Amino acid sequence: MRSQISLRDANPFGLASAAAVERMLADIRGLAPDIAARAAEFEAARRIPLELVETLRSIGVFRIFAPRSHGGLELALPQAVEIIAALSRIDGSVGWDAMIGSTSGLFLPLLPRETYDRILDDGPDVICAGSITPTGTAEPAPGGAWRVSGRWPFASGCEHADWILGFCVVTRDGRPVPGPGGEAGPPRIRGFALPARDWRIEDTWHVAGLKGTGSHHVSLQDALVPEEQFFDFPGSRPSQQGPLYQAVRHLLPLLHGAFCTGMAEGALAELVALAGTGRQQLRALVPMRESEVFQSDLGRIAAGVRAARAYHRAQVESHWRHAVAGTLQDDALYAEGTQAGIWIAGACVHAADACFTLAGGAALYDSSPLQRRLRDLHAAAQHAVVHQRHYVEAGRALLDRAV
């Protein structure tokens, strides 16, 4: 079933109407009870089921970043993050796979236009998986192709993807080719896309958090990949002209932030629901919801979640203004967005930890969604896009401005 959101719902600038987005959000809210009831099933299977993937596809989740020219929704960034946050509010694995499956498609317009047209020939609901880690090699081969080998980690959703992306160090005679910075800089990096059926999926996803995302390793060995399925990164000019496609790298920390804020809001709601059951903890004089200590701690956690949400919204709106103006492709803005993404991830982890602690012994059981939120958010905060070590870029930018 295809989404009921169509081109009639889009404005002349290729951005879906508020009514179209609200319909999708309503569809997502309708899925919440079933998804929440099956969360343990997703973790046990280490993936989300195909019928749920197809349901998400049918309501338009995987076309939120596809261009209007190809039947997609081409959502404005503030609209798109609401979709990701809404799914993450329900369940971590579902929100994560939806984020990766739609966001990875932002890289596809970096391919040559003819290749991109072919990928979206059957419609805009293409699910893309991949890994941004350049752990492969691409060696020139006869006939203009490239011989690719490698093993890529964290390919979330690879078991239900249509296409998979990988990134490679370019080599010649087995040695890395220098990148734009010359011999003293990093090697040249290129990305490529292949149909999912051409990849080998290695069963490696045995982890502590985001268990239901199916983020296995994927690999290739001496695969011949045509030049038209490659793009330089950074360096390739996108084949699509919309503001979403001009500075993809800059958007990634904020899309990650949408996942984290949705998850933290979900944890807070689950703690409130637990208190609403009338639970009274050992040696407590009154039920949780009547305790001023609990109320005070709950208010403090809620303030932190609201702060993360407000920071995220402000940074998303700032980045989107620059994207529309064509000024987002800037190192200082990249550092600023990364700084925001890291802080938001950390704040949301803190909120989930606090919710888990405040819930007491009830949160220890596998049946508690709070232990799952805690594990999932810790796993998300380990992602390279928002890892704490990247604060260095914001610090360096601040010092450079002072000089």
Side-chain angles (χ1 to χ4, degrees), residues 109-309:
L110 297 175
L111 293 162
R113 178 59 185 263
E114 295 77 12
T115 304
Y116 185 69
D117 290 346
R118 177 164 52 87
I119 291 174
L120 270 67
D121 188 53
D122 292 330
D125 301 296
V126 174
I127 301 175
C128 194
S131 173
I132 60 174
T133 308
T135 52
T137 59
E139 181 94 7
W146 296 81
R147 190 171 296 280
V148 176
S149 293
R151 185 170 181 262
W152 291 263
F154 305 116
S156 302
C158 56
E159 292 171 294
H160 59 247
D162 302 308
W163 286 74
I164 297 179
L165 292 166
F167 287 79
C168 288
V169 173
V170 176
T171 61
R172 190 176 297 276
D173 299 326
R175 301 185 62 182
V177 173
E183 295 287 347
R188 183 184 179 194
I189 303 295
R190 300 197 80 194
F192 68 99
L194 281 174
R197 62 178 177 272
D198 294 341
W199 295 75
R200 178 171 178 255
I201 296 174
E202 302 180 15
D203 187 355
T204 58
W205 195 240
H206 301 275
V207 289
L210 294 173
K211 285 187 173 185
T213 61
S215 303
H216 301 286
H217 283 65
V218 293
S219 60
L220 295 169
Q221 184 62 43
D222 290 329
L224 282 176
V225 182
E227 166 63 25
E228 61 266 24
Q229 289 176 215
F230 270 88
F231 57 89
D232 289 315
F233 189 77
S236 286
R237 293 179 61 84
S239 62
Q240 301 300 311
Q241 299 306 307
L244 280 171
Y245 315 112
Q246 309 310 310
V248 175
R249 187 174 67 119
H250 291 56
L251 304 183
L252 300 182
L254 300 184
L255 296 167
H256 196 288
F259 168 83
C260 291
T261 54
M263 283 285 286
E265 289 169 342
L268 186 63
E270 284 152 359
L271 179 60
V272 171
L274 177 65
T277 64
R279 181 175 177 79
Q280 185 166 337
Q281 294 174 322
L282 182 65
R283 290 201 292 270
L285 299 178
V286 295
M288 292 170 66
R289 64 173 293 112
E290 297 175 21
S291 165
E292 287 193 359
V293 174
F294 178 83
Q295 293 166 2
S296 175
D297 287 343
L298 183 66
R300 187 178 299 111
I301 296 168
V305 173
R306 289 180 63 194
R309 176 77 159 161

Side-chain angles (χ1 to χ4, degrees), residues 73-86:
L73 291 172
E74 198 172 344
L75 295 188
L77 185 62
Q79 295 175 317
V81 297
E82 289 302 318
I83 302 299
I84 293 169

Side-chain angles (χ1 to χ4, degrees), residues 1 5 42 83 242 270 351 366:
M1 182 176 79
I5 298 176
F42 304 162
I83 302 299
E270 284 152 359
D366 286 343

